[in-house]
PDB file of all heavy atoms in Angstrom:
ATOM      1  N   GLY A  38     -18.237   0.737   5.143  1.00 98.00           N
ATOM      2  CA  GLY A  38     -16.780   0.594   4.952  1.00 98.00           C
ATOM      3  C   GLY A  38     -15.931   1.065   5.937  1.00 98.00           C
ATOM      4  O   GLY A  38     -15.973   2.336   6.248  1.00 98.00           O
ATOM      5  N   GLY A  40     -12.519   1.469   6.090  1.00 98.00           N
ATOM      6  CA  GLY A  40     -11.278   1.850   5.806  1.00 98.00           C
ATOM      7  C   GLY A  40     -10.953   3.108   6.442  1.00 98.00           C
ATOM      8  O   GLY A  40     -11.704   3.673   7.375  1.00 98.00           O
ATOM      9  N   PRO A  41      -9.940   3.869   6.015  1.00 98.00           N
ATOM     10  CA  PRO A  41      -9.614   5.126   6.753  1.00 98.00           C
ATOM     11  C   PRO A  41     -10.677   6.153   6.568  1.00 98.00           C
ATOM     12  O   PRO A  41     -10.893   6.891   7.569  1.00 98.00           O
ATOM     13  CB  PRO A  41      -8.371   5.623   5.931  1.00 98.00           C
ATOM     14  CG  PRO A  41      -7.769   4.414   5.306  1.00 98.00           C
ATOM     15  CD  PRO A  41      -8.877   3.413   5.069  1.00 98.00           C
ATOM     16  N   ALA A  42     -11.380   6.173   5.542  1.00 98.00           N
ATOM     17  CA  ALA A  42     -12.438   7.114   5.364  1.00 98.00           C
ATOM     18  C   ALA A  42     -13.624   6.815   6.295  1.00 98.00           C
ATOM     19  O   ALA A  42     -14.088   7.723   7.041  1.00 98.00           O
ATOM     20  CB  ALA A  42     -12.971   7.206   3.884  1.00 98.00           C
ATOM     21  N   ASP A  61     -18.493  -3.465   7.665  1.00 98.00           N
ATOM     22  CA  ASP A  61     -17.466  -3.771   6.773  1.00 98.00           C
ATOM     23  C   ASP A  61     -17.596  -5.263   6.315  1.00 98.00           C
ATOM     24  O   ASP A  61     -17.799  -6.131   7.189  1.00 98.00           O
ATOM     25  CB  ASP A  61     -16.010  -3.576   7.193  1.00 98.00           C
ATOM     26  CG  ASP A  61     -15.120  -3.369   6.052  1.00 98.00           C
ATOM     27  OD1 ASP A  61     -14.787  -4.472   5.362  1.00 98.00           O
ATOM     28  OD2 ASP A  61     -14.677  -2.182   5.793  1.00 98.00           O
ATOM     29  N   LYS A  62     -17.498  -5.486   5.111  1.00 97.00           N
ATOM     30  CA  LYS A  62     -17.576  -6.876   4.592  1.00 97.00           C
ATOM     31  C   LYS A  62     -16.307  -7.789   5.062  1.00 97.00           C
ATOM     32  O   LYS A  62     -16.461  -8.943   4.998  1.00 97.00           O
ATOM     33  CB  LYS A  62     -17.706  -6.867   3.030  1.00 97.00           C
ATOM     34  CG  LYS A  62     -16.624  -6.315   2.209  1.00 97.00           C
ATOM     35  CD  LYS A  62     -16.863  -6.411   0.751  1.00 97.00           C
ATOM     36  CE  LYS A  62     -15.636  -5.947   0.015  1.00 97.00           C
ATOM     37  NZ  LYS A  62     -15.880  -5.782  -1.434  1.00 97.00           N
ATOM     38  N   ARG A  63     -15.278  -7.128   5.236  1.00 97.00           N
ATOM     39  CA  ARG A  63     -14.191  -7.902   5.767  1.00 97.00           C
ATOM     40  C   ARG A  63     -14.320  -8.432   7.113  1.00 97.00           C
ATOM     41  O   ARG A  63     -14.993  -7.830   8.047  1.00 97.00           O
ATOM     42  CB  ARG A  63     -12.919  -7.029   5.809  1.00 97.00           C
ATOM     43  CG  ARG A  63     -12.532  -6.474   4.460  1.00 97.00           C
ATOM     44  CD  ARG A  63     -11.201  -5.788   4.452  1.00 97.00           C
ATOM     45  NE  ARG A  63     -10.874  -4.911   3.367  1.00 97.00           N
ATOM     46  CZ  ARG A  63      -9.658  -4.556   2.999  1.00 97.00           C
ATOM     47  NH1 ARG A  63      -8.618  -4.917   3.684  1.00 97.00           N
ATOM     48  NH2 ARG A  63      -9.491  -3.706   2.005  1.00 97.00           N
ATOM     49  N   GLN A  71      -4.223  -3.999   0.842  1.00 93.00           N
ATOM     50  CA  GLN A  71      -4.156  -3.816  -0.597  1.00 93.00           C
ATOM     51  C   GLN A  71      -3.513  -2.455  -0.819  1.00 93.00           C
ATOM     52  O   GLN A  71      -4.287  -1.641  -1.396  1.00 93.00           O
ATOM     53  CB  GLN A  71      -5.497  -3.998  -1.213  1.00 93.00           C
ATOM     54  CG  GLN A  71      -6.020  -5.461  -1.183  1.00 93.00           C
ATOM     55  CD  GLN A  71      -7.523  -5.472  -1.570  1.00 93.00           C
ATOM     56  OE1 GLN A  71      -8.341  -4.973  -0.829  1.00 93.00           O
ATOM     57  NE2 GLN A  71      -7.761  -6.233  -2.593  1.00 93.00           N
ATOM     58  N   CYS A  72      -2.384  -2.171  -0.384  1.00 96.00           N
ATOM     59  CA  CYS A  72      -1.826  -0.877  -0.436  1.00 96.00           C
ATOM     60  C   CYS A  72      -0.308  -0.891  -0.353  1.00 96.00           C
ATOM     61  O   CYS A  72       0.298  -1.833   0.179  1.00 96.00           O
ATOM     62  CB  CYS A  72      -2.273  -0.138   0.846  1.00 96.00           C
ATOM     63  SG  CYS A  72      -1.893   1.539   1.012  1.00 96.00           S
ATOM     64  N   ALA A  73       0.332   0.122  -1.009  1.00 97.00           N
ATOM     65  CA  ALA A  73       1.780   0.107  -0.945  1.00 97.00           C
ATOM     66  C   ALA A  73       2.307   0.803   0.319  1.00 97.00           C
ATOM     67  O   ALA A  73       3.445   0.654   0.667  1.00 97.00           O
ATOM     68  CB  ALA A  73       2.337   0.975  -2.100  1.00 97.00           C
ATOM     69  N   GLU A  74       1.323   1.397   1.143  1.00 98.00           N
ATOM     70  CA  GLU A  74       1.508   1.731   2.600  1.00 98.00           C
ATOM     71  C   GLU A  74       2.425   2.881   2.911  1.00 98.00           C
ATOM     72  O   GLU A  74       2.878   3.107   3.986  1.00 98.00           O
ATOM     73  CB  GLU A  74       2.140   0.526   3.395  1.00 98.00           C
ATOM     74  CG  GLU A  74       1.080  -0.694   3.246  1.00 98.00           C
ATOM     75  CD  GLU A  74       1.573  -1.875   4.036  1.00 98.00           C
ATOM     76  OE1 GLU A  74       2.526  -2.695   3.513  1.00 98.00           O
ATOM     77  OE2 GLU A  74       1.226  -2.119   5.208  1.00 98.00           O
ATOM     78  N   PHE A  75       2.632   3.790   1.854  1.00 98.00           N
ATOM     79  CA  PHE A  75       3.379   4.994   2.102  1.00 98.00           C
ATOM     80  C   PHE A  75       2.449   6.085   2.369  1.00 98.00           C
ATOM     81  O   PHE A  75       1.554   6.302   1.606  1.00 98.00           O
ATOM     82  CB  PHE A  75       4.365   5.381   1.013  1.00 98.00           C
ATOM     83  CG  PHE A  75       5.156   6.627   1.237  1.00 98.00           C
ATOM     84  CD1 PHE A  75       6.016   6.777   2.155  1.00 98.00           C
ATOM     85  CD2 PHE A  75       4.565   7.846   0.576  1.00 98.00           C
ATOM     86  CE1 PHE A  75       6.638   8.009   2.460  1.00 98.00           C
ATOM     87  CE2 PHE A  75       5.159   9.019   0.805  1.00 98.00           C
ATOM     88  CZ  PHE A  75       6.243   9.145   1.743  1.00 98.00           C
ATOM     89  N   ARG A 120      -0.252  -1.014   7.353  1.00 97.00           N
ATOM     90  CA  ARG A 120      -1.717  -0.540   7.123  1.00 97.00           C
ATOM     91  C   ARG A 120      -2.664  -1.348   7.770  1.00 97.00           C
ATOM     92  O   ARG A 120      -3.845  -0.751   8.131  1.00 97.00           O
ATOM     93  CB  ARG A 120      -1.894  -0.701   5.575  1.00 97.00           C
ATOM     94  CG  ARG A 120      -2.948  -0.075   4.852  1.00 97.00           C
ATOM     95  CD  ARG A 120      -3.250   1.415   5.017  1.00 97.00           C
ATOM     96  NE  ARG A 120      -4.651   1.560   4.813  1.00 97.00           N
ATOM     97  CZ  ARG A 120      -5.359   1.769   3.661  1.00 97.00           C
ATOM     98  NH1 ARG A 120      -4.632   1.812   2.550  1.00 97.00           N
ATOM     99  NH2 ARG A 120      -6.669   1.937   3.738  1.00 97.00           N
ATOM    100  N   ALA A 142     -19.867  -8.163   7.234  1.00 97.00           N
ATOM    101  CA  ALA A 142     -21.168  -7.727   6.862  1.00 97.00           C
ATOM    102  C   ALA A 142     -21.272  -6.824   5.644  1.00 97.00           C
ATOM    103  O   ALA A 142     -20.657  -5.922   5.642  1.00 97.00           O
ATOM    104  CB  ALA A 142     -21.914  -6.990   8.028  1.00 97.00           C
ATOM    105  N   ALA A 144     -23.022  -4.609   2.824  1.00 96.00           N
ATOM    106  CA  ALA A 144     -24.257  -3.906   2.410  1.00 96.00           C
ATOM    107  C   ALA A 144     -24.579  -4.281   0.991  1.00 96.00           C
ATOM    108  O   ALA A 144     -23.582  -4.264   0.115  1.00 96.00           O
ATOM    109  CB  ALA A 144     -24.006  -2.334   2.555  1.00 96.00           C
ATOM    110  N   ALA A 175     -18.500   4.809   2.224  1.00 97.00           N
ATOM    111  CA  ALA A 175     -16.981   4.814   2.297  1.00 97.00           C
ATOM    112  C   ALA A 175     -16.488   3.417   2.042  1.00 97.00           C
ATOM    113  O   ALA A 175     -15.555   2.990   2.524  1.00 97.00           O
ATOM    114  CB  ALA A 175     -16.519   5.157   3.729  1.00 97.00           C
ATOM    115  N   ALA A 176     -17.092   2.966   0.824  1.00 96.00           N
ATOM    116  CA  ALA A 176     -16.804   1.505   0.513  1.00 96.00           C
ATOM    117  C   ALA A 176     -15.597   1.301  -0.429  1.00 96.00           C
ATOM    118  O   ALA A 176     -15.528   0.260  -1.059  1.00 96.00           O
ATOM    119  CB  ALA A 176     -18.160   0.840   0.078  1.00 96.00           C
ATOM    120  N   GLY A 295     -13.576   9.579   0.742  1.00 97.00           N
ATOM    121  CA  GLY A 295     -12.517   8.647   0.489  1.00 97.00           C
ATOM    122  C   GLY A 295     -12.508   8.222  -0.971  1.00 97.00           C
ATOM    123  O   GLY A 295     -12.935   8.962  -1.783  1.00 97.00           O
ATOM    124  N   ASP A 296     -12.019   7.051  -1.291  1.00 96.00           N
ATOM    125  CA  ASP A 296     -11.962   6.462  -2.714  1.00 96.00           C
ATOM    126  C   ASP A 296     -13.259   6.476  -3.299  1.00 96.00           C
ATOM    127  O   ASP A 296     -13.367   6.738  -4.501  1.00 96.00           O
ATOM    128  CB  ASP A 296     -11.370   5.098  -2.671  1.00 96.00           C
ATOM    129  CG  ASP A 296      -9.880   5.046  -2.673  1.00 96.00           C
ATOM    130  OD1 ASP A 296      -9.264   6.040  -2.428  1.00 96.00           O
ATOM    131  OD2 ASP A 296      -9.324   3.998  -2.998  1.00 96.00           O
ATOM    132  N   THR A 301      -8.396   9.841  -4.658  1.00 97.00           N
ATOM    133  CA  THR A 301      -6.960   9.536  -4.771  1.00 97.00           C
ATOM    134  C   THR A 301      -6.319  10.437  -5.778  1.00 97.00           C
ATOM    135  O   THR A 301      -7.005  10.920  -6.700  1.00 97.00           O
ATOM    136  CB  THR A 301      -6.879   8.048  -5.261  1.00 97.00           C
ATOM    137  OG1 THR A 301      -7.937   7.801  -6.303  1.00 97.00           O
ATOM    138  CG2 THR A 301      -6.952   7.059  -4.224  1.00 97.00           C
ATOM    139  N   GLY A 308      -3.961   8.078  -1.479  1.00 98.00           N
ATOM    140  CA  GLY A 308      -5.337   8.292  -1.126  1.00 98.00           C
ATOM    141  C   GLY A 308      -5.767   8.095   0.425  1.00 98.00           C
ATOM    142  O   GLY A 308      -6.841   8.359   0.817  1.00 98.00           O
ATOM    143  N   ILE A 309      -4.721   7.717   1.045  1.00 98.00           N
ATOM    144  CA  ILE A 309      -4.932   7.440   2.505  1.00 98.00           C
ATOM    145  C   ILE A 309      -5.232   8.759   3.292  1.00 98.00           C
ATOM    146  O   ILE A 309      -6.273   8.851   3.961  1.00 98.00           O
ATOM    147  CB  ILE A 309      -3.754   6.826   3.302  1.00 98.00           C
ATOM    148  CG1 ILE A 309      -3.302   5.553   2.682  1.00 98.00           C
ATOM    149  CG2 ILE A 309      -3.922   6.729   4.756  1.00 98.00           C
ATOM    150  CD1 ILE A 309      -2.028   4.868   3.093  1.00 98.00           C
TER     151      ILE A 309
HETATM  152  C1  FAD B  27      -2.219  -1.456  -4.839  1.00 75.31           C
HETATM  153  C2  FAD B  27      -2.445  -0.153  -4.101  1.00 75.31           C
HETATM  154  C3  FAD B  27      -1.494   0.511  -3.536  1.00 75.31           C
HETATM  155  C4  FAD B  27      -1.827   1.739  -2.890  1.00 75.31           C
HETATM  156  N1  FAD B  27      -0.783   2.380  -2.279  1.00 75.31           N
HETATM  157  C5  FAD B  27      -1.069   3.606  -1.528  1.00 75.31           C
HETATM  158  C6  FAD B  27      -0.033   4.217  -0.878  1.00 75.31           C
HETATM  159  O1  FAD B  27       1.177   3.730  -0.790  1.00 75.31           O
HETATM  160  N2  FAD B  27      -0.392   5.409  -0.234  1.00 75.31           N
HETATM  161  C7  FAD B  27      -1.606   5.963  -0.304  1.00 75.31           C
HETATM  162  O2  FAD B  27      -1.885   7.070   0.277  1.00 75.31           O
HETATM  163  N3  FAD B  27      -2.611   5.351  -0.931  1.00 75.31           N
HETATM  164  C8  FAD B  27      -2.458   4.191  -1.560  1.00 75.31           C
HETATM  165  N4  FAD B  27      -3.378   3.487  -2.193  1.00 75.31           N
HETATM  166  C9  FAD B  27      -4.756   4.108  -2.115  1.00 75.31           C
HETATM  167  C10 FAD B  27      -5.288   3.841  -0.698  1.00 75.31           C
HETATM  168  O3  FAD B  27      -5.235   2.487  -0.407  1.00 75.31           O
HETATM  169  C11 FAD B  27      -6.738   4.275  -0.793  1.00 75.31           C
HETATM  170  O4  FAD B  27      -6.836   5.641  -1.255  1.00 75.31           O
HETATM  171  C12 FAD B  27      -7.456   4.206   0.637  1.00 75.31           C
HETATM  172  O5  FAD B  27      -7.505   2.890   1.122  1.00 75.31           O
HETATM  173  C13 FAD B  27      -8.858   4.730   0.632  1.00 75.31           C
HETATM  174  O6  FAD B  27      -9.514   4.526   1.772  1.00 75.31           O
HETATM  175  P1  FAD B  27     -11.074   4.285   1.894  1.00 75.31           P
HETATM  176  O7  FAD B  27     -11.308   4.217   3.323  1.00 75.31           O
HETATM  177  O8  FAD B  27     -11.740   5.417   0.996  1.00 75.31           O
HETATM  178  O9  FAD B  27     -11.299   2.933   1.175  1.00 75.31           O
HETATM  179  P2  FAD B  27     -10.818   1.486   1.547  1.00 75.31           P
HETATM  180  O10 FAD B  27      -9.557   1.556   2.290  1.00 75.31           O
HETATM  181  O11 FAD B  27     -10.800   0.751   0.222  1.00 75.31           O
HETATM  182  O12 FAD B  27     -11.884   0.880   2.546  1.00 75.31           O
HETATM  183  C14 FAD B  27     -13.174   0.559   2.005  1.00 75.31           C
HETATM  184  C15 FAD B  27     -13.771  -0.444   2.932  1.00 75.31           C
HETATM  185  O13 FAD B  27     -15.107  -0.763   2.588  1.00 75.31           O
HETATM  186  C16 FAD B  27     -15.366  -2.133   2.573  1.00 75.31           C
HETATM  187  N5  FAD B  27     -16.522  -2.429   1.734  1.00 75.31           N
HETATM  188  C17 FAD B  27     -16.536  -2.380   0.327  1.00 75.31           C
HETATM  189  N6  FAD B  27     -17.723  -2.736  -0.174  1.00 75.31           N
HETATM  190  C18 FAD B  27     -18.612  -2.879   0.871  1.00 75.31           C
HETATM  191  C19 FAD B  27     -19.950  -3.403   1.098  1.00 75.31           C
HETATM  192  N7  FAD B  27     -20.733  -3.486   0.083  1.00 75.31           N
HETATM  193  N8  FAD B  27     -20.352  -3.502   2.424  1.00 75.31           N
HETATM  194  C20 FAD B  27     -19.433  -3.440   3.512  1.00 75.31           C
HETATM  195  N9  FAD B  27     -18.140  -3.000   3.379  1.00 75.31           N
HETATM  196  C21 FAD B  27     -17.742  -2.732   2.188  1.00 75.31           C
HETATM  197  C22 FAD B  27     -14.021  -2.770   2.195  1.00 75.31           C
HETATM  198  O14 FAD B  27     -13.923  -4.047   2.686  1.00 75.31           O
HETATM  199  C23 FAD B  27     -13.009  -1.860   2.836  1.00 75.31           C
HETATM  200  O15 FAD B  27     -12.525  -2.169   4.028  1.00 75.31           O
HETATM  201  C24 FAD B  27      -3.148   2.309  -2.940  1.00 75.31           C
HETATM  202  C25 FAD B  27      -4.136   1.513  -3.525  1.00 75.31           C
HETATM  203  C26 FAD B  27      -3.873   0.338  -4.141  1.00 75.31           C
HETATM  204  C27 FAD B  27      -5.011  -0.368  -4.694  1.00 75.31           C
END
Side-chain angles (χ1 to χ4, degrees):
D61 202 291
K62 65 182 181 184
R63 299 189 196 199
Q71 290 167 300
C72 182
E74 302 179 276
F75 174 74
R120 191 55 212 273
D296 275 17
T301 37
I309 299 170

